[in-house]
Amino acid sequence: AEELEALTPEERWRIEHAKVYEQHRGHDSMHAEMVLIFIVVLIVAQIILVEWKRRHNKSYLLVTLLIMWLIPMGLSMHNKYWRFIFIWLLFSCISGLVMTKAVQKPIQQSTPRLVYKWFLFIYKLSCVVGLIGYVIMMMTFLGVNLLFASKPHKWMDAAILLVFYSMYYGVLGRDLSEICADKMAAHVGYYTEEGMPTRHLETGVCAVCGNKLLVSENEEGVIENTYKLSCQHVFHEFCIRGWCIVGKKQTCPYCKEKVDLKKMFCNPWDRPHILYGHFLDWIRWLAAWQPLIMFLVHGINWMLGLE
């Protein structure tokens, strides 16, 4: 033990690598079986998940959200990643309070704006953090870290950490806000799952939060503007932005008519892109189902006596 402590980290790594190589020498057939098991499980699991999503989309999204929320936390507690645990608890507590307000009946008039502002803040923060991580990653590739006499792996670790946080909490925030958007619209009473509204929309009232509009759609607002969709329904700027951007809705909250969001949002970051939705699906699979698939593969290998 004392001899190992006297060695440099690189020398200790070489010794550990040699031990692992010696331990697995002559296990080529066993390793081939393990790779085959991994490929088969991966293909079968992907087919099951695709069919589940196609046949029962709501239950698939709900289970995926729960797994994505709990699995990283469990792994962090096992590995004692205190930074992630603290941020996860803070996000979960605040989001839990916001969701409680969104699902309660009767819903308060201030609740929709509170919900949308919180998740819009999470959305924008995730974009900024992800952009910072990407810039740090590019600067590392260009060797900027050498100007600060810093090792590249430190900068790269920081960049990967920031990108992970931005994608993970960005996906969680968007999925939670979609649940809140459906619940609030139904509780406000403008539409139901059956398609028949239980409340009539009055003139000069926002179709999302139910509060009066401050200015008309042709006037420039001091606090916020008023938007009119192609279906002629009008909304507060923050309400409709929250509905479309955060809640991933491309329909009118009142009449459910398909709207052209490109005319309303000039910034490409504000448009719910199909490619971005596919990217989020990949992130969901990576954060939620990939760890479970790996656990399943390890369990099969253990039952078959493969190492």
Side-chain angles (χ1 to χ4, degrees), residues 273-284:
H273 286 286
I274 297 177
L275 292 178
Y276 189 58
H278 292 331
F279 174 73
L280 292 180
D281 287 337
W282 181 79
I283 296 299
R284 290 186 189 95

Side-chain angles (χ1 to χ4, degrees), residues 25-243:
R25 178 183 294 180
H27 293 177
D28 296 340
S29 60
M30 182 182 298
H31 293 166
E33 292 180 19
M34 295 173 66
V35 172
L36 181 61
I37 291 174
F38 173 75
I39 294 175
V40 171
V41 171
L42 192 65
I43 295 175
V44 172
Q46 188 65 24
I47 294 174
I48 293 175
L49 291 176
V50 169
E51 287 298 316
W52 183 11
K53 182 180 179 181
R54 186 176 66 87
R55 297 174 183 270
H56 306 284
N57 187 53
K58 285 189 175 181
S59 63
Y60 168 82
L61 293 178
L62 180 59
V63 173
T64 302
L65 178 61
L66 291 176
I67 294 176
M68 187 171 58
W69 204 341
L70 299 176
I71 291 293
M73 181 58 175
L75 295 175
S76 298
M77 293 182 64
H78 180 267
N79 296 287
K80 299 180 180 179
Y81 297 151
W82 303 117
R83 184 196 299 111
F84 180 87
I85 293 174
F86 173 77
I87 298 176
W88 186 92
L89 290 174
L90 181 63
F91 173 83
S92 299
C93 290
I94 299 178
S95 298
L97 292 175
V98 171
M99 291 189 69
T100 301
K101 283 184 167 293
V103 300
Q104 68 181 3
K105 293 183 180 180
I107 188 172
Q108 300 178 4
Q109 287 188 339
S110 60
T111 297
R113 296 175 67 85
L114 171 66
V115 172
Y116 292 138
K117 283 185 177 181
W118 165 247
F119 287 114
L120 186 59
F121 167 74
I122 294 297
Y123 173 75
K124 290 183 176 180
L125 182 62
S126 66
C127 291
V128 172
V129 172
L131 181 62
I132 294 174
Y134 177 77
V135 170
I136 295 176
M137 192 178 299
M138 292 299 102
M139 292 173 65
T140 305
F141 289 141
L142 296 175
V144 179
N145 59 290
L146 299 177
L147 300 177
F148 299 91
S150 178
K151 294 184 178 181
H153 69 85
K154 293 184 178 179
W155 281 46
M156 190 59 68
D157 289 345
I160 294 175
L161 185 66
L162 292 176
V163 172
F164 168 76
Y165 277 123
S166 67
M167 293 189 299
Y168 176 72
Y169 289 106
V171 172
L172 274 185
R174 285 171 66 85
D175 286 354
L176 292 176
S177 64
E178 184 174 17
I179 296 175
C180 292
D182 285 336
K183 294 294 183 182
M184 286 188 302
H187 291 174
V188 167
Y190 290 139
Y191 82 89
T192 61
E193 295 182 356
E194 292 76 19
M196 297 296 294
T198 59
R199 178 179 171 185
H200 178 68
L201 181 63
E202 300 176 359
T203 305
V205 172
C206 174
V208 172
C209 67
N211 295 327
K212 289 188 176 181
L213 299 170
L214 302 178
V215 295
S216 65
E217 64 273 13
N218 299 321
E219 298 177 354
E220 186 71 21
V222 178
I223 301 177
E224 61 180 333
N225 297 324
T226 297
Y227 279 96
K228 177 184 285 188
L229 301 182
S230 56
C231 58
Q232 303 304 311
H233 292 126
V234 289
F235 310 85
H236 291 123
E237 177 183 1
F238 292 150
C239 290
I240 192 60
R241 279 181 175 269
W243 175 269

